[in-house]
Amino acid sequence: MIPLDVDGPVTIEVFTVAHGHEGLVLTGPCGAAPWLIETGEGEHPLETAVRIIEGALPGSLLVHSTSWRFERNSVVLTFLAVVPDPGSMDAAPVSRSDLARNAEHAAPDEISYGQVLEHALRHLAWLAKDDEVVNAALDADWLEALAGYVPEPFQQLS
Amino acid sequence: MQEYLLTCACGWEATGSENDIVSAAKVHGREIHNMDVSHEEAMAMAAPTAS
């Protein structure tokens, strides 16, 4: 199988998350995995992300950028999309990860998608406290789940 | 008629004739990945199924 190469100067990566009966789950149109979206020449990454996400997930509650990193010769801009439930999409529980931390003048050598998702949820915890719009979009179950995450700002991860 | 199984790197699959899977791949590419998928690219992701 030859993979579909997502090219372009900016690759959009979306983690779609819902609050299930037993906690947070990773889901999305590509299953329980990062969802990659290409940006075309001249396309604004945020506008592209919102357009594609809202088209594929019309009931999404929230879409927010959380981090960026340089990978596969491209800037990867990560977004978190919060949906009410997975619906018919495959889903898997979100597990906790330690974050990959920078050295004083260098990014981490390697970063896994679990670490990117961990940071994304820590950033959502930050936004839930700092941004009235985000706080209002999340219900009590979500706010309780985020209370276990140390709030983190938007970051470069690698 | 030969049937094919097409698998996207994201895990999405389509089965059917060549025309069916190419059409489905173009829609999937555009709506989910914001990509224009050519006929050749779609067939490169496909394998014939046992008839």
Side-chain angles (χ1 to χ4, degrees):
Chain A
M1 177 189 73
I2 298 173
L4 197 67
D5 282 330
V6 174
D7 293 326
V10 177
T11 297
I12 296 164
E13 171 186 65
V14 182
F15 289 98
T16 306
V17 189
H19 193 291
H21 297 298
E22 296 181 10
L24 300 183
V25 295
L26 176 65
T27 183
C30 300
W35 165 19
L36 299 183
I37 299 170
E38 186 174 275
T39 54
E41 189 173 329
E43 288 188 318
H44 192 289
L46 176 59
E47 290 172 359
T48 302
V50 169
R51 173 173 56 84
I52 297 296
I53 292 168
E54 291 188 346
L57 305 172
S60 59
L61 302 173
L62 195 63
V63 175
H64 220 288
S65 57
T66 60
S67 67
W68 74 272
R69 67 189 188 276
F70 190 71
E71 190 174 282
R72 295 189 299 263
N73 226 25
S74 173
V75 170
V76 180
L77 181 58
T78 300
F79 287 81
L80 197 63
V82 176
V83 295
D85 58 73
S88 60
M89 300 183 294
D90 287 343
V94 171
S95 52
R96 302 301 304 268
S97 292
D98 292 329
L99 291 190
R101 293 293 189 188
N102 294 358
E104 289 83 359
H105 299 291
D109 292 333
E110 291 183 6
I111 186 161
S112 70
Y113 91 67
Q115 292 172 310
V116 181
L117 175 57
E118 172 75 22
H119 174 266
L121 290 167
R122 291 188 188 198
H123 185 54
L124 187 62
W126 169 291
L127 292 167
K129 293 181 186 298
D130 188 64
D131 188 317
E132 290 177 1
V133 172
V134 171
N135 185 279
L138 299 173
D139 65 17
D141 287 339
W142 257 106
L143 296 177
E144 183 179 341
L146 290 176
Y149 286 82
V150 175
E152 293 262 355
F154 181 97
Q155 269 187 26
Q156 175 202 349
L157 297 184
S158 72
Chain B
M1 184 190 301
Q2 178 65 61
E3 298 249 310
Y4 296 87
L5 169 65
L6 183 150
T7 306
C8 176
C10 78
W12 173 86
E13 292 183 338
T15 56
S17 68
E18 180 171 336
N19 284 343
D20 289 342
I21 61 167
V22 169
S23 294
K26 286 175 180 284
V27 171
H28 173 77
R30 189 176 319 115
E31 293 186 353
I32 301 301
H33 300 295
N34 196 41
M35 296 180 66
D36 290 322
V37 179
S38 69
H39 187 110
E40 292 71 27
E41 286 169 331
M43 290 308 295
M45 294 186 285
T49 59
S51 48

